[in-house]
Amino acid sequence: MLTRYGALLFAAGFAFLLFVLFTSQPLGAPTMLAGQAVLNEAAGTVGAANIVTAVVLAYRGIDTLGELSILFAAATAVGLVLGRSHGTDAAATAREPGGFILRAGADLLFPLLLVVGFYIIVHGHLTPGGGFQGGVVLAAAFVLPVLARPSETISHSAMAWVEGLAGGVFIVTGLLALAVDRAFLTPLLGTGQLGTLLSAGTLPLLYLAVGLKVGAELANLLLRMTEEESGT
Amino acid sequence: MNTSLIALVVALPLLAAFLLPLVPSVLRRLVGPLALLAVAALGMVLWQASLSEPLVLTLGGFRPPLGIVFYVDGVAALFVLTVALVTLLLWPWGGDASENLDRKQSLTLVLAAACTGLAVSGDLFNVYVFYELAAVASYGLAAGSRTAAAQVATFRYVILGSLGSLLALIGITLIYFRTGTLNLAHLADLAPQTLHDPLGLAAFFLILLGLGVKAELFLVNTWAPEVYATAEARVSALLAGLVSKLALLVVVRLLVLVFPLPEAREALLLLGMLGMISGEFAAYRARDIKRMLAWSSIGQLGAAFIAFSIPGPLGLAAGLAIALHHLLVKPALFLLAERWGGGLARLAGAARRSPLGAALFVLFALSLIGVPPLPGFWAKYLLLSGLAAQPDNLYLLAGLVVLVTTVVEAVYLFRVIGVMYGREGATPANEQLDNTQPASALAGSGVFAALLLAAALAAPLLAAPLGRMATQMSDGAAYVARVLPSTATLSGAAQ
């Protein structure tokens, strides 16, 4: 009884603290010190029309590598907690396929989702979107067929290869800069013409790696959870 | 040396973790140890180089307040070296199905990369990313023993850890909102005008509580005893020994660079005292050796918080000594305690069945209490002399707390030793229990013991580099000057 009210009291107090902290800030006039400087020079030095991408992959590329690793660690941890060493195939084949509408819808949507997903990824340096968003669409594309036909699972090892190689490509692309005597994760290959598909140097390549890694990881995670659900 | 190699201390373990499942199974078990050896070698070289002058790497080649920097001074390089070596000593070599072993090795590599990242990062949000990475990897490892008790304990750990990350993120948001920058050197430069007020302090306290979850700070350390008691011994050793120190290091960097205020120091001092009292008395009450070690770890980190609250290089030297000593002793004790779970009574006669294990336990216990000439004595000596030199009465009170808790520490550790070397009780069940030590645990803690004894012998030699590192770390102005040769350009451009 006491603990329940204690939790409520804590939440209320915490909310009040946050309220006080943020109402005491001037509204609508953020101090844009680093932000303004990035806005001023990003298009020229990085060559990405989408400045968010310039920040995510160029100025703060190591953060993005860290975030990719967080996702990787989360997926690995889930695998460690849920994962049985194989033996799920028997349970999977016994499952009923989905209804006609689900199957036909999945067939129709699969190519569409692939195209949209890759479009969002390869245009990440030009328009809003990029590897993380596109990767999620790709993951949906690969989970949907499994929902429609549970007996046809995608092999985990293929996913693991995509995941591992994509992560490797990101880091190796970053390390290539060391070969030409630059710092880790320096964008290479020049900036190109601002706003064209082949611009911003190695950033599109990095985003492709991000997209494939995020897609493979999320799809793997979702598939593992559906297996766990039907397996028990 | 070429500063661009600094990035490898983070990139190499991550690359190894990503590619580990793809390596042919013959070579797969070598990937992790090789990557860690490379990082250790790099850490050694960096330590040599950075003791004379700190090194700065601008990642991506963007000038500091815009891009992210890695800053390697003596302390950071030493922690890179220690992270690699300790992870190697606590490496999961086997004992699992192949697939799960891959996962554990990947997670351990990710944890190592996050720890080296925390040691070298010079950017507040980058620190948060690495902290979160360490958190997620340690959740996975803590649940990795796959027992129900471990999963329940990990669940509480995840809840508290997420709350901590949230608090830290709110604090960082507040700081970014008020200053418009995340670079630690730039923040240090701007702090006197923008952050040295109640709101800035509120941001510091939020970050302190948030990072405190991992650093076993009082109030947010309740996850620790259960997790350490249920996780595998090497995971407990990694979390208590390594991850807690890196979280502590980040707090200290913030304290030295951005918030060198008496209020911030007092908060550290008070929370450290409370942690020390609660930790050591709870350890006294504990009836299970792993929980006892966990509570004692909370107490020791309390001592480190107290030490870091002392202003100037003196406090930093004491804090570093306590942190490094604990980093050597606690993992070894957790390794030894792996087979000694359950009630303390079960240890009766352990000295006869495993004489070497018991002897090592005595050695580490003596150092933990602070018996000269073991390094634990020098750490506590530095702490007490630092506290005694302060005019404030609160510091004297902290000195008293340290002395009293040392007595408590001695009582509960000698109680365990007494049981171990005492006559076997009338419980015949003891005979069936397998509480002899596995060879791997003995070898691991043997290496720690060798390091501890070497440190005891070389104590006079260690004083010089320790003092050098503390002076280097306490010099906030040098940090700013090194990272930002000309701050004026950015402030001018933005206004």
Side-chain angles (χ1 to χ4, degrees), chain B residues 443-468:
Chain B
S445 48
V447 175
F448 281 111
L451 287 171
L452 192 73
L453 289 176
L457 288 176
L461 295 177
L462 292 179
L466 186 69
R468 175 105 198 86

Side-chain angles (χ1 to χ4, degrees), chain A residues 14 21 24-26 31 33-34 37 41 58-60 62-63 69-70 72 74 77 79-80 83 164 171 183-184 186 224, chain B residues 7-8 14-15 17-19 58 60 62-63 66 68 103 123 125-126 133 136 140 146 167 177-178 180 186 190 199 490:
Chain A
F14 189 53
L21 283 182
S24 58
Q25 304 297 322
T31 323
L33 216 53
E41 66 160 63
Y59 289 101
R60 307 194 67 90
I62 189 89
D63 279 354
S69 312
I70 291 174
F72 171 78
L80 192 59
I171 296 183
F184 183 54
T186 308
R224 204 172 281 289
Chain B
L8 290 178
L14 283 182
L15 187 63
F18 289 165
L19 295 181
T58 54
F62 298 98
R63 68 176 199 277
L66 305 190
I68 293 170
R103 293 186 178 121
D123 183 280
F125 189 76
N126 192 234
L133 184 57
V136 173
R146 303 183 68 175
L167 290 180
F177 193 83
R178 288 171 65 82
H186 201 197
L190 297 173
L199 273 172
L490 182 66

Side-chain angles (χ1 to χ4, degrees), chain A residues 47 136 184 208 216-217 230:
Chain A
V136 175
F184 183 54
L208 191 61
E217 237 144 42
S230 57

Side-chain angles (χ1 to χ4, degrees), chain A residues 149-229:
Chain A
R149 296 183 185 79
S151 51
E152 295 169 21
T153 49
I154 303 167
S155 102
H156 284 304
S157 68
M159 290 292 202
W161 272 90
V162 175
E163 198 184 312
L165 283 181
V169 164
F170 191 100
I171 296 183
V172 169
T173 312
L175 289 176
L176 279 181
L178 262 63
V180 292
D181 215 21
R182 307 283 289 277
F184 183 54
L185 287 172
T186 308
L188 302 172
L189 305 177
T191 54
Q193 175 74 40
L194 184 71
T196 56
L197 191 58
L198 291 178
S199 65
T202 43
L203 296 199
L205 184 64
L206 289 181
Y207 245 169
L208 191 61
V210 172
L212 290 176
K213 189 160 174 61
V214 170
E217 237 144 42
L218 267 184
N220 226 345
L221 209 62
L222 290 171
L223 292 177
R224 204 172 281 289
M225 287 185 172
T226 52
E227 276 170 20
E228 182 68 19
E229 213 161 53

